[in-house]
């Protein structure tokens, strides 16, 4: 059974203080890894898809990286508007489902 | 504007009273899914649909039904709701299978079953 574990559960940073969120996974065969952002009271919003170890993608202050066992979401010089819950997910066999982690709740303090 | 809409956004009901949560997308997507989100458990897939009249169970289908009579609509039906179905529900759609493509999520429906 596919498993996704995210850490830490919650992270508080000062504005401008860079850090990383972790997503470790156990799957029978990696078919990709997704990162989503979820704001309070809203549905998740797509950020990145990574398909192979060594792949990196960037968007503004966010950079996602992927190894054979885990993915990191690096946030550089964050701003208060980056506060959200960040979710990662891996596809299941047949690509008809996603297994989500429980998320990291990120708070950026001005 | 490309979007997934859900109604109602909030619902409080009582055990056993049948209810339907509607979901509609305007992006002509083939694939649609329903998820529930619970603290500590993350998002879990309830049902998904690959096209009109084609649906299949996700990880937690017990107590739920779905139908896909039109491409744009994918309602979630709780025929006899129970308190353990109190949760935050999301509908999502994509143009390709969920494991290969971006999913677009609706705003969520917060359901409370008393």
């Amino acid at each position: 059974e596919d498993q996704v574990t995210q850490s830490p559960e919650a992270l508080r940073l000062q504005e401008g203080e860079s850090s990383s969120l972790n997503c470790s996974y156990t799957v029978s065969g990696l078919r990709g890894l997704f990162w989503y952002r979820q704001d309070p009271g809203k549905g998740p919003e797509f950020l990145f898809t990574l398909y192979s170890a060594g792949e990196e993608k960037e968007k503004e202050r966010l950079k996602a990286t992927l190894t054979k066992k885990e993915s990191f979401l690096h946030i550089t010089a964050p701003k208060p508007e980056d506060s959200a819950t960040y979710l990662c997910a891996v596809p299941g066999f047949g690509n008809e489902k996603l297994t989500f982690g429980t998320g990291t709740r990120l708070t950026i303090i001005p | 504007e490309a979007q997934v809409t859900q109604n109602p956004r909030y619902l409080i009901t009582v055990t056993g009273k049948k209810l339907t949560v509607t979901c509609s997308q305007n992006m002509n997507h083939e694939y649609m899914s329903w998820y529930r989100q619970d603290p500590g458990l993350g998002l879990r897939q309830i049902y998904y649909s690959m096209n009109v009249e084609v649906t299949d169970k996700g990880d937690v289908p017990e107590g739920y039904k779905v139908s896909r009579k039109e491409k744009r609509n994918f309602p979630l039906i709780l025929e006899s709701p129970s308190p353990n179905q109190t949760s935050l529900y999301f509908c999502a759609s994509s143009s390709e299978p969920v494991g290969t493509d971006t999913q677009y999520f609706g705003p969520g429906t917060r359901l409370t079953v008393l």
Side-chain angles (χ1 to χ4, degrees):
Chain A
E1 181 179 332
D2 296 342
Q3 289 190 332
V4 179
T5 303
Q6 293 188 245
S7 61
E9 285 188 20
L11 181 62
R12 290 170 63 89
L13 300 172
Q14 293 290 330
E15 184 173 359
E17 181 184 1
S18 301
S19 187
S20 297
L21 314 182
N22 177 262
C23 172
S24 62
Y25 56 86
T26 305
V27 296
S28 56
L30 183 63
R31 289 166 285 277
L33 186 139
F34 291 77
W35 281 99
Y36 283 83
R37 169 190 170 128
Q38 185 174 20
D39 292 303
K42 295 188 176 182
E45 182 180 337
F46 172 77
L47 288 173
F48 304 108
T49 309
L50 303 167
Y51 286 108
S52 57
E55 188 174 358
E56 299 183 353
K57 287 192 177 174
E58 291 189 58
K59 181 180 180 179
E60 297 182 357
R61 294 174 292 282
L62 298 176
K63 183 169 80 171
T65 62
L66 182 66
T67 73
K68 290 184 178 180
K69 294 183 178 180
E70 58 194 346
S71 177
F72 292 94
L73 186 64
H74 307 277
I75 182 160
T76 302
K79 299 182 178 181
E81 54 262 41
D82 295 320
S83 297
T85 296
Y86 292 86
L87 305 170
C88 69
V90 295
F93 181 78
N95 287 319
E96 299 301 345
K97 61 171 282 190
L98 284 180
T99 298
F100 280 85
T102 53
T104 293
R105 187 173 67 254
L106 178 65
T107 303
I108 308 300
I109 304 162
Chain B
E1 179 190 355
Q3 61 181 353
V4 178
T5 57
Q6 295 179 227
N7 283 292
R9 294 290 314 278
Y10 302 91
L11 179 60
I12 300 175
T13 190
V14 296
T15 299
K17 185 176 182 181
K18 181 179 178 179
L19 66 92
T20 299
V21 183
T22 64
C23 171
S24 183
Q25 50 94 4
N26 64 0
M27 295 168 278
N28 201 37
H29 284 166
E30 302 281 341
Y31 298 84
M32 299 185 74
S33 291
W34 274 104
Y35 295 86
R36 61 178 290 173
Q37 188 173 37
D38 301 289
L41 296 176
L43 277 160
R44 294 178 292 167
Q45 191 181 47
I46 303 170
Y47 269 95
Y48 59 91
S49 171
M50 296 76 84
N51 210 330
V52 174
E53 302 292 3
V54 183
T55 63
D56 206 348
K57 297 177 181 179
D59 291 325
V60 288
E62 295 78 20
Y64 305 94
K65 287 178 59 176
V66 293
S67 69
R68 187 98 181 268
K69 292 184 170 55
E70 303 168 280
K71 195 172 186 178
R72 63 182 292 129
N73 296 324
F74 191 42
L76 179 70
I77 303 158
L78 286 72
E79 296 215 321
S80 184
S82 62
N84 65 10
Q85 293 177 298
T86 293
S87 187
L88 180 58
Y89 291 86
F90 290 100
C91 179
S93 73
S94 58
S95 57
E96 299 292 334
V98 299
T100 63
D101 191 27
T102 302
Q103 283 191 98
Y104 295 85
F105 284 82
T109 295
R110 186 167 293 279
L111 173 65
T112 301
V113 184
L114 302 174

